[in-house]
């Protein structure tokens, strides 16, 4: 018998330290929330009378059983009503309480315990009662503590726990300290019975805890949706500049940018959006800007080398009023070039050499002209333009880029692109052509290639052409962020090959761009994957930036982190993360989409 008592004590202590008991004791949740699983134990409450009779080795008289069940049910339902958990107002609600999926483990526990009691010998029934007493006292101690919190917080008294405690202390199957004479084979059966009882109760406790936690999450999620809805409504009333400046301020502060650097970023943002920045954001975008998934006409990004940040933004000019079009974006972008030249002396000679090639000629082009700004702490601003190789149609993109490179003096670069970087033919598409807006001889030309239906090996083959290539580095980056063996998301994995005019035979750097939001359920998952590829000091800075920009829980949507990129340069890895401002909407994971209230728009990636 000593082995049984030791086993019983050990199991009781384990249950006392279980996640279920810890949940009941967790004061971070309101006491009513911790008890929200109570409807799920309805089968156990309704079957208590029959279980009790079987434990006593008696046949339960139907009238007596129904009387006891009615008494238990009245007391239990009164507590449910006090906690606003009663759903048994009609037959459907009652059936759900008794036969619903959420009460399946309570039913299994009841059936299992009743069967054990009915088939047990008198000695084994005594062991069974001792086991139930041990587990019940642990649970009741925790439950009664929660009940006292309920009374303290809202003045409501719960009676069922006290009644059950009384039943254990002085009821017909109360158990005191007993010493049973067990034969060896009976002792082994008793040990197995103890294990089985704690397994049944443990499985039920896990289901009850899971149910309560889901209820809490649903309620909290609804609350967060309402907050987000308010944020969206407030955003739509702001101007593009007001909202953009608030996002830039949050990003700069989060990564330790000083006041003068922050003001410089905002100065350029305001200047570059000055012709349309006072326009109200509204509820729908002026046009389907391809800078971000929700069509906000600007995107922020954060480049990191160790813990040293670089703040960047990408912007597409809009009409100050009326609809933005592909042609108006081009015309307004050219006007911005002229203003940048007049105000800051930004050279336009290289851009003007190729300007006529990239003017949009087909309505299917996704963009015409974008501008980018970059600033390191205490550094000088850097500007770039992005042009569309498909401005005359996809079928002309190769000839267009080849001609542009030739005009700029990068004759050898096209040979490398066509023979090495785009060796898969139609699966490798020219997507962006970027120019540094600088006058020095070593100013860059960057060519972006979209690798459709690519594998990590395909990406590695392109990345291996960089001068500072480290074998396997790009492949690991891809696989840790995108997981899949073949990358077939709506947004293709990109490589960016950068050439300088003093060496156009081979790219001086190759950057890998992963559309991480296409491979995760939410931004919380993005951050978990990014942690696996980023140095700890860099991750700390990114984490601060993401939390500063995010106006909703990371797990509630996907797309704040649009792209993750890496390249090796100067012996160091440089990682960049492209961050959406989500002015117009969010992409909601399937798991929480049904809880979205009206008024929050969803966008496809």
């Amino acid at each position: 018998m000593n082995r049984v008592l030791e086993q019983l004590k050990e199991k009781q202590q384990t249950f006392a330290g279980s996640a279920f008991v810890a949940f009941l004791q967790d004061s971070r949740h309101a006491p009513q929330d911790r008890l929200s699983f109570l409807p799920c134990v309805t089968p156990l409450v309704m079957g208590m009378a029959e279980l009790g009779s079987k434990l006593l080795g008696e046949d339960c008289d139907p009238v007596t059983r129904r009387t006891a069940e009615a008494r238990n049910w009245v007391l239990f339902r009164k507590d449910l009503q006090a906690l606003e958990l009663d759903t048994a107002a009609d037959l459907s609600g009652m059936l759900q309480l008794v036969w619903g999926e959420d009460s399946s483990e309570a039913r299994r526990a009841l059936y299992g315990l009743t069967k054990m009691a009915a088939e047990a010998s008198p000695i084994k029934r005594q062991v069974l009662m001792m086991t139930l007493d041990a587990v019940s006292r642990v649970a009741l101690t925790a439950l009664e503590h929660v009940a006292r919190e309920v009374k303290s917080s809202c003045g409501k008294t719960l009676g069922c726990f006290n009644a059950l405690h009384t039943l254990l202390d002085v009821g017909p199957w109360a158990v005191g300290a007993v010493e049973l004479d067990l034969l060896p084979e009976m002792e082994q059966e008793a040990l197995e019975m103890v294990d089985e009882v704690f397994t049944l109760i443990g499985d039920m406790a896990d289901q009850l805890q899971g149910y309560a936690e889901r209820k809490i999450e649903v309620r909290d999620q609804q609350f967060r949706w309402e907050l987000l809805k308010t944020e969206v409504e407030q955003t739509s009333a702001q101007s593009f500049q007001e909202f953009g400046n608030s996002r830039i301020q949050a990003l700069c502060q989060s990564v330790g940018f000083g006041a003068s650097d922050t003001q410089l970023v905002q100065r350029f943002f305001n200047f570059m959006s000055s012709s349309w920045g006072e326009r109200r954001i509204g509820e729908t975008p002026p046009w389907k800007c391809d800078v971000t998934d929700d069509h906000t006409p600007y995107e922020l990004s954060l480049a990191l080398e160790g813990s040293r940040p670089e703040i960047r933004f990408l912007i597409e000019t809009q009409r100050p009023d009326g609809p933005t079009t592909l042609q108006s974006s081009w015309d307004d972008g050219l006007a911005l070039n002229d203003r940048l030249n007049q105000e800051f002396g930004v050279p336009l000679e290289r851009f003007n050499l190729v300007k006529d090639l990239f003017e949009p000629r087909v309505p299917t082009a996704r963009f015409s002209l974008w501008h980018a700004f970059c600033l390191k702490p205490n550094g000088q601003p850097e500007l770039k333009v992005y042009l569309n190789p498909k401005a005359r149609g996809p079928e002309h993109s190769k000839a267009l880029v080849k001609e542009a490179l030739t005009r700029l003096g990068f004759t050898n670069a096209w040979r490398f692109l066509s023979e090495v970087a785009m060796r898969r033919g139609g699966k490798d598409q020219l997507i962006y052509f970027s120019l540094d807006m600088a006058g020095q001889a070593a100013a860059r030309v960057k060519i972006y290639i979209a690798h459709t239906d690519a594998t990590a090996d395909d990406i590695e083959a392109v990345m291996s052409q960089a001068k500072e290539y480290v074998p396997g580095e790009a492949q690991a980056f891809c696989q840790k962020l995108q997981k899949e063996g073949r990358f077939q998301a709506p947004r293709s994995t990109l490589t960016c090959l950068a050439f300088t005019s003093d060496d156009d035979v081979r790219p001086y750097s190759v950057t890998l761009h992963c559309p991480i939001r296409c491979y995760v359920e939410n931004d919380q998952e993005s951050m978990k994957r990014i942690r696996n590829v980023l140095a700890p000091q860099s991750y700390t800075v990114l984490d601060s930036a993401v939390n500063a920009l995010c106006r909703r829980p990371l797990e509630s949507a996907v797309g704040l982190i649009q792209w993750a990129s890496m390249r090796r340069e100067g012996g160091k890895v440089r990682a960049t993360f492209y961050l959406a401002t989500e002015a117009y909407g969010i992409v909601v994971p399937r798991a929480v989409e049904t809880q979205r209230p009206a008024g929050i728009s969803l966008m496809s990636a």
Side-chain angles (χ1 to χ4, degrees):
M1 184 62 189
N2 287 338
R3 288 178 61 200
V4 175
L5 294 176
E6 289 173 4
Q7 174 89 329
L8 199 53
K9 183 177 181 181
E10 180 183 333
K11 290 289 186 180
Q12 185 182 43
Q13 290 174 344
T14 300
F15 184 65
S18 67
F20 175 68
V21 174
F23 173 74
L24 291 175
Q25 296 169 340
D26 190 349
S27 59
R28 291 176 302 173
H29 304 302
Q32 292 92 329
D33 290 338
R34 281 174 271 161
L35 295 176
S36 61
F37 61 79
L38 282 180
C40 302
V41 301
T42 297
L44 206 55
V45 173
M46 298 297 289
M48 189 67 71
E50 183 173 2
L51 175 59
S53 68
K54 298 300 183 186
L55 286 169
L56 295 174
E58 302 171 351
D59 290 328
C60 188
D61 175 67
V63 175
T64 304
R65 186 186 66 200
R66 284 195 294 271
T67 301
E69 287 175 352
R71 184 170 59 249
N72 294 341
W73 173 245
V74 168
L75 191 60
F76 178 66
R77 189 177 181 193
K78 183 178 179 181
D79 285 354
L80 292 182
Q81 291 170 338
L83 294 168
E84 298 180 2
L85 298 173
D86 184 23
T87 60
D90 54 28
L91 178 60
S92 175
M94 186 64 201
L95 290 174
Q96 184 64 31
L97 284 178
V98 178
W99 297 107
E101 176 61 29
D102 294 319
S103 60
S104 61
E105 290 298 334
R107 291 196 303 274
R108 193 166 76 89
L110 174 65
Y111 300 158
L113 294 173
T114 303
K115 185 174 184 293
M116 275 190 277
E119 296 175 352
S121 65
I123 292 180
K124 288 175 67 176
R125 283 201 299 271
Q126 191 71 24
V127 173
L128 180 55
M129 285 192 283
M130 291 169 62
T131 307
L132 288 172
D133 181 83
V135 70
S136 298
R137 290 188 185 278
V138 171
L140 279 173
T141 298
L143 289 167
E144 286 177 327
H145 178 75
V146 183
R148 287 193 293 272
E149 290 185 66
V150 171
K151 183 173 178 60
S152 175
S153 63
C154 59
K156 296 178 179 178
T157 300
L158 305 180
C160 61
F161 302 139
N162 289 334
L164 187 53
H165 215 151
T166 300
L167 181 65
L168 290 175
D169 288 339
V170 299
W173 43 287
V175 178
V178 295
E179 182 65 37
L180 301 176
D181 185 16
L182 294 176
L183 297 173
E185 61 271 16
M186 291 184 64
E187 185 175 57
Q188 183 58 40
E189 291 175 359
L191 290 171
E192 293 173 0
M193 176 181 285
V194 170
D195 284 344
E196 186 175 355
V197 170
F198 273 94
T199 297
L200 286 170
I201 299 301
D203 290 345
M204 180 179 69
D206 289 343
Q207 185 179 53
L208 299 181
Q209 179 187 348
Y211 176 87
E213 289 176 337
R214 288 194 301 274
K215 293 280 284 186
I216 292 171
E217 176 57 27
V218 167
R219 193 270 321 281
D220 289 350
Q221 186 73 44
Q222 190 66 31
F223 177 71
R224 291 193 292 264
W225 277 124
E226 292 301 329
L227 288 179
L228 181 57
K229 181 179 178 181
T230 301
E231 287 271 8
V232 169
E233 291 171 349
Q234 292 173 346
T235 298
S236 66
Q238 295 182 59
S239 71
F240 283 109
Q241 282 192 351
E242 287 173 333
F243 181 65
N245 275 310
S246 70
R247 300 294 82 204
I248 290 170
Q249 179 81 19
L251 179 59
C252 289
Q253 286 184 348
S254 71
V255 302
F257 256 45
S260 60
D261 284 333
T262 300
Q263 290 167 6
L264 184 57
V265 178
Q266 291 178 317
R267 178 189 176 194
F268 270 84
F269 175 78
N270 290 333
F271 181 86
M272 293 166 72
S273 62
S274 59
S275 64
W276 52 274
E278 293 303 315
R279 181 172 180 166
R280 190 175 72 87
I281 290 175
E283 296 180 358
T284 57
W287 86 306
K288 289 192 174 183
C289 171
D290 200 44
V291 169
T292 58
D293 289 340
D294 75 328
H295 311 308
T296 305
Y298 42 75
E299 170 193 70
L300 305 180
S301 57
L302 175 66
L304 295 165
E305 292 179 6
S307 60
R308 187 169 187 242
E310 176 181 287
I311 298 292
R312 303 133 53 95
F313 64 78
L314 179 67
I315 197 167
E316 180 178 58
T317 53
Q318 307 291 300
R319 294 265 85 180
D321 49 45
T324 297
T325 65
L326 198 64
Q327 187 62 47
S328 74
S329 179
W330 173 260
D331 294 339
D332 292 337
L334 295 182
L336 174 57
N337 276 355
D338 292 337
R339 296 200 306 274
L340 288 168
N341 173 261
Q342 295 166 11
E343 182 72 16
F344 301 107
V346 173
L348 299 178
E349 290 79 10
R350 299 170 79 237
F351 175 83
N352 288 333
L353 285 174
V354 299
K355 177 176 68 174
D356 63 298
L357 295 174
F358 291 97
E359 182 174 0
R361 304 289 176 84
V362 294
T364 55
R366 297 176 75 167
F367 79 100
S368 56
L369 178 57
W370 293 342
H371 291 77
F373 168 93
C374 313
L375 183 69
K376 295 183 176 72
N378 303 312
Q380 293 298 314
E382 298 177 6
L383 294 169
K384 294 176 284 187
V385 292
Y386 286 83
L387 299 159
N388 192 346
K390 299 180 180 181
R392 299 186 177 191
E395 67 276 15
H396 299 295
S397 60
K398 291 182 179 180
L400 189 153
V401 169
K402 181 180 180 181
E403 174 63 19
L405 289 170
T406 300
R407 291 187 187 184
L408 292 165
F410 291 82
T411 307
N412 294 312
W414 176 251
R415 184 181 303 110
F416 182 90
L417 287 168
S418 59
E419 295 178 1
V420 179
M422 301 172 63
R423 58 184 181 145
R424 298 189 313 141
K427 290 186 176 182
D428 298 320
Q429 297 282 326
L430 296 161
I431 189 168
Y432 304 125
F433 187 99
S434 176
L435 285 174
D436 284 352
M437 303 283 275
Q440 65 265 33
R444 298 174 302 174
V445 170
K446 298 193 299 180
I447 312 298
Y448 291 76
I449 301 171
H451 302 283
T452 305
D453 193 29
T455 66
D457 289 339
D458 294 328
I459 302 301
E460 180 79 10
V462 179
M463 295 295 293
S464 68
Q465 304 303 313
K467 293 181 178 180
E468 296 187 35
Y469 166 66
V470 173
E473 190 171 57
Q475 188 178 49
F477 190 84
C478 265
Q479 290 176 331
K480 288 180 180 179
L481 293 187
Q482 299 180 174
K483 300 289 187 184
E484 300 176 13
R486 186 172 293 277
F487 309 132
Q488 299 174 312
R491 296 278 186 174
S492 298
T493 303
L494 311 180
T495 55
C496 169
L497 294 88
F499 298 88
T500 56
S501 53
D502 56 356
D503 182 8
D504 67 338
V505 175
R506 181 182 179 186
Y508 88 93
S509 73
V510 184
T511 305
L512 167 62
H513 294 264
C514 295
I516 188 170
R517 88 280 204 180
C518 297
Y519 292 92
V520 295
E521 277 291 305
N522 55 60
D523 287 301
Q524 185 177 68
E525 186 180 349
S526 291
M527 290 298 287
K528 288 180 180 178
R529 294 190 184 187
I530 289 168
R531 185 187 284 273
N532 294 326
V533 301
L534 205 58
Q537 63 269 32
S538 296
Y539 183 85
T540 298
V541 178
L542 176 64
D543 186 59
S544 177
V546 167
N547 281 290
L549 286 178
C550 195
R551 300 179 295 159
R552 42 131 180 119
L554 287 176
E555 70 274 13
S556 67
V558 63
L560 176 73
I561 307 167
Q562 301 246 309
W563 296 86
S565 77
M566 65 80 64
R567 74 168 181 259
R568 184 169 285 277
E569 186 177 330
K572 299 178 181 178
V573 172
R574 174 185 169 94
T576 303
F577 302 92
Y578 298 79
L579 308 170
T581 58
E582 300 183 330
Y584 287 109
I586 59 176
V587 180
V588 179
R590 290 185 296 274
V592 297
E593 185 171 347
T594 56
Q595 291 154 42
R596 173 182 61 92
I600 297 180
S601 60
L602 306 184
M603 302 293 172
S604 62

